[in-house]
Amino acid sequence: MLAYDIRGRGPGLVLLHGMGSTAAGTWGTLADALAAEHTVVLPDLPGSGRSPLPDSPPALNDVADQVVAAADAAGLDDFVIAGASLGAAVAIRIAALRPDRVRGLFTLSGFARPRTALWLQLEKWSSSLSGPDTDLDAFLTSLTFSGAARREASAAGTAEQIALALGLDARGDLPAISSPTLVVATMRDRLVDPEHSVELAEGMPDARLAAIGAGHTATVEEPDLVLELLTGFLRRVSGTPLALPVPFPLPNGAC
């Protein structure tokens, strides 16, 4: 069972973090604002925070099932799910497998598969885990932030999470996503290129694409913009009319 925190009351919202992070590390800047109108569930993926690693390497379906089990334990019948980076791939798998539970899908700097550049960066990250801490810190700070910023310490299960990312391919899930979806590209992302978000948006039937001028850790660099997009999307899912802004030019003329 994954460890998770709950904040607020209202319609369900599950927030998934990325590789080497935690739920609080990725979504902590937004959680209280979101909890004003939602029951926010913040699971730590296997090997992060208080969630232990399984005895065998984590598989995407197993992690997806664990997230749904956490939502069940938190009392959510259905929910909007938002995922950043690796968490986006987990969220996509859940939305494809459990359309009865997922009312909306939001991805931030997400990917369906590691293309060549991402693959190489993940391999370098993985190999850096066995090197001096100072080298790893400098590498990850340059990779995940578009400017100077402080980075949280890597989770104990980072190597296993990277291995999960290296082996996943969620492209087959994309046509099965029936829920409203907002895909957000991070235009200054040095880890997950915006092309990954374009691939996601083009592959899902009811997806819209937006972009912000931030690096991979957009919730830390530009929390207000991410919050604006996510709360606008939540209102759209709930049936409240609201035009979604696009605060930064989209890649390759996508819309």
Side-chain angles (χ1 to χ4, degrees):
M1 180 71 180
L2 299 179
Y4 62 91
D5 292 321
I6 304 176
R7 301 188 194 183
R9 293 186 62 183
L13 174 61
V14 177
L15 303 177
L16 302 181
H17 64 82
M19 293 164 285
S21 187
T22 62
T26 296
W27 296 103
T29 54
L30 283 67
D32 285 342
L34 293 167
E37 297 182 3
H38 295 82
T39 298
V40 179
V41 179
L42 298 144
D44 285 327
L45 298 181
S48 286
R50 306 187 310 276
S51 293
L53 280 168
D55 294 332
S56 56
L60 188 60
N61 277 4
D62 294 337
V63 177
D65 288 343
Q66 289 178 308
V67 171
V68 174
D72 290 342
L76 301 185
D77 294 325
D78 54 31
F79 46 87
V80 172
I81 190 163
S85 189
L86 175 62
V90 178
I92 288 167
R93 179 58 54 88
I94 294 169
L97 294 178
R98 299 302 307 267
D100 57 317
R101 304 293 299 279
V102 175
R103 294 185 293 108
L105 170 65
F106 178 96
T107 70
L108 179 68
S109 58
F111 57 93
R113 53 171 175 140
R115 295 187 179 198
T116 303
L118 176 55
W119 177 282
L120 292 174
Q121 294 283 27
L122 292 177
E123 287 280 11
K124 185 176 180 180
W125 185 358
S126 182
S127 64
S128 297
L129 291 170
S130 59
D133 289 344
T134 54
D135 292 345
L136 178 60
D137 186 75
F139 169 69
L140 289 180
T141 299
S142 67
L143 193 63
T144 56
F145 288 93
S146 63
R150 295 182 62 85
R151 183 187 62 82
E152 66 174 319
S154 294
T158 298
E160 289 80 3
Q161 293 170 9
I162 293 173
L164 173 60
L166 285 168
L168 69 83
D169 188 344
R171 286 176 293 175
D173 294 330
L174 303 182
I177 306 297
S178 57
S179 59
T181 301
L182 180 61
V183 176
V184 180
T186 43
M187 299 300 293
R188 299 192 180 105
D189 198 329
R190 299 187 184 111
L191 181 61
V192 179
D193 190 276
E195 290 182 357
H196 288 86
S197 291
V198 175
E199 180 176 44
L200 292 180
E202 290 179 344
M204 291 186 275
D206 191 18
R208 298 178 67 179
L209 178 64
I212 56 175
H216 193 67
T217 52
T219 58
V220 176
E221 291 187 48
E222 296 286 355
D224 291 342
L225 284 178
V226 178
L227 181 64
E228 180 183 9
L229 285 167
L230 181 50
T231 54
F233 176 68
L234 291 168
R235 290 181 182 129
R236 175 194 167 200
V237 171
S238 69
T240 303
L242 183 72
L244 290 170
V246 179
F248 205 78
L250 292 171
N252 300 324
C255 60

Coordinates of all heavy atoms in Angstrom, one line a residue, residues 92-125:
I92 N -1.9 8.3 -16.9 CA -2.4 7.9 -18.2 C -2.9 6.5 -18.1 O -3.9 6.1 -18.6 CB -1.4 8.1 -19.3 CG1 -1.2 9.6 -19.6 CG2 -1.7 7.4 -20.5 CD1 0.0 10.0 -20.4
R93 N -2.0 5.6 -17.5 CA -2.4 4.2 -17.4 C -3.7 4.0 -16.6 O -4.6 3.2 -17.0 CB -1.2 3.4 -16.8 CG -1.5 1.9 -16.6 CD -1.8 1.1 -17.9 NE -0.9 1.3 -19.0 CZ 0.2 0.6 -19.2 NH1 0.5 -0.4 -18.3 NH2 1.0 0.8 -20.2
I94 N -3.8 4.8 -15.5 CA -5.0 4.7 -14.7 C -6.2 5.1 -15.5 O -7.3 4.5 -15.4 CB -4.9 5.5 -13.4 CG1 -3.8 4.9 -12.5 CG2 -6.2 5.6 -12.6 CD1 -3.4 5.7 -11.3
A95 N -6.1 6.3 -16.2 CA -7.2 6.8 -17.0 C -7.7 5.8 -18.1 O -8.9 5.7 -18.4 CB -6.9 8.1 -17.6
A96 N -6.7 5.1 -18.6 CA -7.0 4.1 -19.7 C -7.7 2.9 -19.1 O -8.6 2.3 -19.7 CB -5.7 3.7 -20.4
L97 N -7.2 2.4 -18.0 CA -7.7 1.2 -17.4 C -9.0 1.4 -16.6 O -9.8 0.5 -16.5 CB -6.7 0.5 -16.5 CG -5.4 0.0 -17.2 CD1 -4.5 -0.6 -16.2 CD2 -5.8 -1.1 -18.2
R98 N -9.2 2.6 -16.0 CA -10.3 2.8 -15.1 C -11.1 4.0 -15.5 O -11.2 5.0 -14.7 CB -9.8 2.9 -13.6 CG -9.1 1.7 -13.1 CD -10.0 0.4 -13.2 NE -11.3 0.6 -12.5 CZ -11.5 0.3 -11.3 NH1 -10.5 -0.1 -10.5 NH2 -12.7 0.5 -10.7
P99 N -11.7 4.1 -16.7 CA -12.5 5.2 -17.1 C -13.7 5.4 -16.2 O -14.2 6.6 -16.2 CB -12.9 4.9 -18.5 CG -12.8 3.4 -18.6 CD -11.7 3.0 -17.7
D100 N -14.1 4.4 -15.5 CA -15.2 4.5 -14.5 C -14.9 5.4 -13.3 O -15.8 5.9 -12.6 CB -15.7 3.2 -14.1 CG -14.6 2.3 -13.5 OD1 -13.5 2.3 -14.0 OD2 -14.8 1.7 -12.4
R101 N -13.6 5.5 -13.1 CA -13.1 6.2 -11.9 C -12.6 7.6 -12.2 O -12.6 8.5 -11.3 CB -12.1 5.4 -11.1 CG -12.5 4.0 -10.7 CD -13.5 4.0 -9.7 NE -13.1 4.7 -8.4 CZ -12.4 4.1 -7.5 NH1 -12.0 2.8 -7.7 NH2 -12.0 4.7 -6.4
V102 N -12.0 7.8 -13.4 CA -11.3 9.0 -13.7 C -12.2 10.0 -14.4 O -12.7 9.7 -15.5 CB -10.0 8.7 -14.5 CG1 -9.4 10.0 -14.9 CG2 -9.1 7.8 -13.7
R103 N -12.5 11.2 -13.8 CA -13.3 12.2 -14.4 C -12.5 13.2 -15.3 O -13.1 13.9 -16.1 CB -14.0 13.0 -13.3 CG -15.0 12.2 -12.5 CD -15.8 13.0 -11.5 NE -14.9 13.5 -10.4 CZ -14.5 14.8 -10.3 NH1 -14.9 15.7 -11.2 NH2 -13.7 15.1 -9.3
G104 N -11.2 13.2 -15.1 CA -10.4 14.1 -15.9 C -8.9 13.8 -15.7 O -8.5 13.2 -14.6
L105 N -8.1 14.1 -16.6 CA -6.7 13.8 -16.6 C -5.9 15.1 -16.9 O -6.2 15.7 -17.9 CB -6.4 12.7 -17.7 CG -4.9 12.4 -18.0 CD1 -4.2 11.8 -16.8 CD2 -4.8 11.4 -19.2
F106 N -4.9 15.3 -16.1 CA -4.0 16.5 -16.3 C -2.6 16.0 -16.2 O -2.2 15.4 -15.3 CB -4.3 17.5 -15.1 CG -3.4 18.7 -15.1 CD1 -3.9 19.9 -15.7 CD2 -2.2 18.8 -14.5 CE1 -3.2 21.1 -15.6 CE2 -1.4 19.9 -14.5 CZ -1.9 21.1 -15.0
T107 N -1.8 16.3 -17.3 CA -0.4 15.9 -17.3 C 0.5 17.2 -17.4 O 0.2 18.2 -18.0 CB -0.1 15.0 -18.4 OG1 -0.1 15.7 -19.7 CG2 -1.0 13.8 -18.5
L108 N 1.6 17.1 -16.7 CA 2.6 18.2 -16.6 C 4.0 17.6 -16.9 O 4.4 16.7 -16.2 CB 2.6 18.9 -15.3 CG 3.5 20.0 -15.0 CD1 3.2 21.2 -15.9 CD2 3.6 20.4 -13.5
S109 N 4.6 18.1 -18.0 CA 5.9 17.6 -18.4 C 5.9 16.1 -18.5 O 6.8 15.4 -18.0 CB 7.0 18.1 -17.5 OG 6.9 17.7 -16.2
G110 N 4.8 15.6 -19.1 CA 4.6 14.1 -19.2 C 5.2 13.5 -20.4 O 5.6 14.2 -21.4
F111 N 5.2 12.2 -20.4 CA 5.7 11.4 -21.6 C 5.1 10.1 -21.6 O 4.7 9.5 -20.6 CB 7.3 11.3 -21.6 CG 7.8 10.7 -20.3 CD1 8.1 9.3 -20.3 CD2 8.1 11.4 -19.2 CE1 8.6 8.7 -19.1 CE2 8.6 10.9 -18.1 CZ 8.9 9.5 -18.0
A112 N 4.9 9.6 -22.8 CA 4.3 8.2 -23.0 C 5.4 7.2 -23.1 O 5.2 6.0 -22.9 CB 3.4 8.2 -24.3
R113 N 6.6 7.6 -23.5 CA 7.8 6.7 -23.7 C 9.0 7.6 -23.6 O 9.0 8.8 -24.0 CB 7.7 6.0 -25.0 CG 7.5 7.0 -26.1 CD 7.7 6.4 -27.5 NE 7.4 7.4 -28.5 CZ 8.0 7.6 -29.6 NH1 9.1 6.8 -29.9 NH2 7.7 8.5 -30.5
P114 N 10.1 7.1 -23.2 CA 11.4 7.9 -23.3 C 12.0 7.9 -24.7 O 12.6 6.9 -25.1 CB 12.3 7.1 -22.3 CG 11.8 5.7 -22.3 CD 10.3 5.7 -22.6
R115 N 11.8 9.0 -25.4 CA 12.5 9.2 -26.6 C 14.0 9.2 -26.4 O 14.5 9.3 -25.3 CB 12.0 10.4 -27.3 CG 10.5 10.4 -27.7 CD 10.2 11.6 -28.6 NE 8.8 11.7 -29.0 CZ 8.3 12.4 -30.0 NH1 9.2 13.2 -30.6 NH2 7.1 12.4 -30.3
T116 N 14.8 9.3 -27.5 CA 16.2 9.1 -27.4 C 16.8 10.1 -26.4 O 17.6 9.7 -25.6 CB 16.9 9.3 -28.8 OG1 16.3 8.3 -29.7 CG2 18.4 9.0 -28.7
A117 N 16.5 11.4 -26.5 CA 17.2 12.4 -25.7 C 16.8 12.1 -24.2 O 17.7 12.2 -23.3 CB 16.8 13.8 -26.1
L118 N 15.6 11.8 -23.9 CA 15.1 11.5 -22.6 C 15.8 10.3 -22.1 O 16.3 10.2 -20.9 CB 13.6 11.5 -22.5 CG 13.0 11.1 -21.1 CD1 13.5 12.0 -20.0 CD2 11.5 11.0 -21.2
W119 N 15.8 9.3 -22.9 CA 16.5 8.0 -22.6 C 17.9 8.2 -22.1 O 18.4 7.7 -21.1 CB 16.4 7.0 -23.7 CG 17.1 5.7 -23.5 CD1 18.5 5.5 -23.5 CD2 16.5 4.5 -23.2 NE1 18.7 4.2 -23.2 CE2 17.5 3.5 -23.0 CE3 15.2 4.1 -23.0 CZ2 17.3 2.2 -22.7 CZ3 14.9 2.8 -22.7 CH2 16.0 1.8 -22.5
L120 N 18.7 9.0 -22.9 CA 20.1 9.3 -22.5 C 20.2 10.0 -21.2 O 21.1 9.7 -20.4 CB 20.7 10.0 -23.7 CG 20.9 9.2 -25.0 CD1 21.4 10.2 -26.1 CD2 21.8 8.0 -24.8
Q121 N 19.3 11.0 -21.0 CA 19.4 11.7 -19.8 C 19.1 10.9 -18.6 O 19.7 11.0 -17.5 CB 18.4 12.9 -19.8 CG 18.8 14.0 -20.8 CD 19.9 14.9 -20.4 OE1 20.8 14.5 -19.6 NE2 19.9 16.1 -20.9
L122 N 18.1 10.0 -18.7 CA 17.7 9.1 -17.6 C 18.8 8.1 -17.4 O 19.1 7.8 -16.2 CB 16.4 8.3 -18.0 CG 15.2 9.2 -18.0 CD1 14.0 8.3 -18.4 CD2 14.9 9.8 -16.7
E123 N 19.5 7.6 -18.4 CA 20.6 6.7 -18.2 C 21.8 7.4 -17.5 O 22.4 6.9 -16.6 CB 21.1 6.2 -19.6 CG 20.2 5.2 -20.2 CD 20.4 3.7 -19.6 OE1 21.1 3.6 -18.6 OE2 19.8 2.8 -20.2
K124 N 22.0 8.7 -17.8 CA 23.1 9.4 -17.2 C 22.7 9.7 -15.7 O 23.5 9.6 -14.8 CB 23.3 10.8 -17.9 CG 24.4 11.6 -17.3 CD 24.6 12.8 -18.2 CE 25.8 13.7 -17.6 NZ 26.0 14.9 -18.4
W125 N 21.4 10.0 -15.5 CA 20.9 10.2 -14.1 C 21.1 8.9 -13.3 O 21.7 9.0 -12.2 CB 19.5 10.6 -14.2 CG 18.9 11.0 -12.8 CD1 19.4 10.9 -11.6 CD2 17.5 11.4 -12.6 NE1 18.5 11.3 -10.6 CE2 17.4 11.6 -11.2 CE3 16.4 11.7 -13.5 CZ2 16.2 12.1 -10.7 CZ3 15.3 12.1 -12.9 CH2 15.1 12.3 -11.5

